[in-house]
């Protein structure tokens, strides 16, 4: 397993960001797609059990799933803690700098199709998804990583949630959840449970620690909220921070995404805190994929320049200038300045 091209954040369990250069591509190569793991790579027997409040408890092998009608979707996944390192005061958690994001083509069986076969009962409230990965939670008892979705979300075919077994046309790698993972388009990455081996249809709320203690917006001044859908964001991929460019015409490029909501526009500012100007935005890579944008800049003079980009989604949500601080450092979609040198 080649991890050499990734920007390592933590050695064990392995966590790493996508290198900025790889984010210029429409699809992020699997070997360069960011990796987020809470525990060590687990063993997996290749089986998936569906149990709980269902009319038909079922067990599927990976081969069983591969013989069912499949769907392939390009999906942008972003770690909920992406950009945590730029928040002040520094929150607790992995120090992600801002490139814990990537877009891949994911292939699998629609979750709604599989749930329909199991026949969830009318009393079903939530559906919990468990990974084979396990370990002590924050030094306490050992747990398996687990997350839940409301039954109406999980069973909705239009949500395009997949039981994914392939990434970019190849079987999943160990770092990305082989042999099977959940893929929840439009949500931050924590919802897409890796190494999936059990689905439990529940009549009561799921209270696993990664549902009710982690991945929560712990606001200082209002009621806490669960982390769910991704937020609108633009990223400058060219020039890179610290680059040296010459006077003349230069094209600033980047990516923009917004969970399940289309991007309406991207604006660029090339004079620090000055005027915002519209960039050219390309069509998105499907309903859950990012879009490319570009801005033609006439560069004059010499010295340091600070450029910024911000995206606006179809609902009018705009990136803020400063992040909304929360204790665990989630959902930072603030505009990120890029300083370069003109010579």
């Amino acid at each position: 397993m080649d991890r050499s091209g990734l920007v390592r954040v933590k050695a064990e369990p392995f966590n790493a960001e996508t290198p900025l250069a790889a984010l210029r591509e429409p699809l992020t190569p699997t070997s360069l797609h960011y990796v987020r793991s809470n525990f060590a790579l687990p063993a997996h027997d290749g089986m998936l059990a569906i149990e709980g409040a269902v009319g038909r408890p079922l067990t599927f092998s990976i081969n069983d799933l591969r013989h069912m009608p499949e769907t392939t979707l390009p999906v942008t996944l972003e770690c909920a803690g992406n950009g945590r390192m730029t928040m002040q005061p520094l929150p607790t958690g992995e120090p992600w700098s801002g490139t814990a994001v990537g877009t891949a083509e994911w292939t699998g069986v629609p979750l709604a199709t599989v749930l329909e076969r199991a026949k969830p009962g009318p009393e079903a409230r939530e559906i919990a998804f468990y990974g084979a990965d396990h370990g002590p939670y924050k030094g306490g008892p050992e747990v398996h990583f687990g997350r839940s979705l409301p039954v109406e979300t999980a069973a909705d075919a239009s949500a395009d949630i997949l039981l994914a077994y392939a990434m970019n046309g190849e079987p999943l790698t160990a770092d990305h959840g082989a042999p099977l993972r959940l893929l929840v388009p439009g949500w931050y990455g924590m919802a897409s449970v890796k190494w999936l081996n059990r689905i439990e249809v529940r009549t009561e709320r799921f209270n696993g620690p990664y549902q009710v203690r982690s991945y929560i917006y712990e606001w200082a001044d209002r009621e806490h909220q669960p982390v769910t859908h991704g937020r609108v964001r633009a990223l400058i991929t060219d020039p890179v921070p610290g680059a040296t460019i010459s006077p003349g015409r230069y094209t600033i490029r980047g990516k923009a995404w917004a969970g399940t909501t289309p991007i309406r526009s991207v604006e660029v500012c090339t004079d620090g805190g000055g005027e915002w100007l519209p960039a050219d935005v390309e069509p998105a890579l499907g309903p859950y994929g990012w879009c490319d944008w570009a801005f033609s800049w006439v560069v004059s003079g010499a010295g340091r320049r600070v450029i910024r980009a911000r995206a606006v989604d179809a609902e009018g949500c705009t990136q803020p200038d400063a992040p909304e601080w929360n204790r665990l450092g989630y959902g930072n979609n603030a505009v990120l300045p890029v300083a370069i040198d003109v010579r």
Side-chain angles (χ1 to χ4, degrees):
M1 184 164 46
D2 183 12
R3 296 169 166 173
S4 60
L6 291 162
V7 182
R8 188 174 69 178
V9 173
K10 189 175 184 178
E12 294 294 338
F14 184 71
N15 286 275
E17 298 193 57
T18 304
L20 189 59
L23 296 177
R24 296 171 183 158
E25 302 298 324
L27 294 175
T28 310
T30 301
S31 63
L32 299 177
H33 192 289
Y34 89 94
V35 176
R36 174 64 172 118
S37 299
N38 287 278
F39 302 116
L41 295 177
H44 193 297
D45 64 3
M47 304 300 290
L48 172 67
I50 304 179
E51 56 194 28
V54 295
R56 297 176 59 201
L58 296 171
T59 301
F60 295 94
S61 69
I62 297 301
N63 284 336
D64 292 334
L65 295 173
R66 285 183 175 276
H67 282 89
M68 297 173 67
E70 68 180 29
T71 297
T72 297
L73 289 171
V75 176
T76 298
L77 275 186
E78 182 180 12
C79 179
N82 194 26
R84 178 182 285 126
M85 199 167 69
T86 65
M87 300 177 80
Q88 295 295 329
L90 186 65
T92 183
E94 303 295 342
W96 302 105
S97 69
T99 61
V101 63
T103 297
E105 284 190 334
W106 302 89
T107 301
V109 179
L111 173 64
T113 299
V114 176
L115 288 177
E116 187 177 8
R117 294 191 181 193
K119 301 188 181 305
E123 71 278 19
R125 177 179 177 184
E126 291 191 356
I127 300 182
F129 304 88
Y130 300 89
D133 53 325
H134 59 90
Y137 177 79
K138 299 187 183 300
E142 185 160 301
V143 300
H144 282 259
F145 186 85
R147 292 278 307 177
S148 72
L149 293 170
V151 66
E152 58 270 20
T153 300
D156 182 2
S158 69
D160 291 322
I161 301 171
L162 298 181
L163 301 177
Y165 45 71
M167 179 180 183
N168 290 333
E170 299 289 339
L172 288 176
T173 62
D175 277 334
H176 293 292
L180 186 70
R181 72 177 294 167
L182 191 68
L183 197 285
V184 186
W187 287 53
Y188 280 115
M190 77 287 154
S192 295
V193 177
K194 298 194 290 186
W195 308 292
L196 183 69
N197 64 1
R198 184 161 69 97
I199 297 174
E200 179 190 24
V201 179
R202 298 175 56 87
T203 59
E204 297 178 350
R205 183 184 178 193
F206 175 64
N207 289 312
Y210 288 99
Q211 187 78 20
V212 300
R213 293 174 60 188
S214 294
Y215 302 111
I216 296 292
Y217 290 118
E218 294 191 11
W219 307 114
D221 57 353
R222 60 189 188 275
E223 185 178 353
H224 298 174
Q225 297 171 290
V227 177
T228 56
H229 295 85
R231 293 178 166 188
V232 61
R233 190 168 189 180
L235 177 71
I236 296 172
T237 59
D238 188 13
V240 300
T244 298
I245 67 173
S246 301
R249 190 168 293 278
Y250 191 95
T251 300
I252 303 171
R253 300 182 187 277
K255 294 288 196 295
W257 62 95
T260 58
T261 308
I263 293 293
R264 176 192 295 173
S265 62
V266 174
E267 299 171 316
V268 175
C269 178
T270 60
D271 58 351
E275 183 181 9
W276 290 98
L277 299 171
D280 295 321
V281 180
E282 298 294 327
L285 199 65
Y288 310 110
W290 56 25
C291 60
D292 286 292
W293 58 265
F295 178 82
S296 183
W297 177 27
V298 178
V299 187
S300 60
R304 175 177 291 176
R305 296 287 189 274
V306 177
I307 56 177
R308 298 181 296 156
R310 68 182 183 188
V312 182
D313 71 16
E315 295 178 354
C317 296
T318 305
Q319 285 181 258
D321 287 325
E324 288 189 286
W325 193 90
N326 57 96
R327 189 182 72 85
L328 298 176
Y330 294 129
N332 179 5
N333 68 329
V335 173
L336 186 64
V338 173
I340 63 169
D341 187 45
V342 178
R343 292 185 186 176

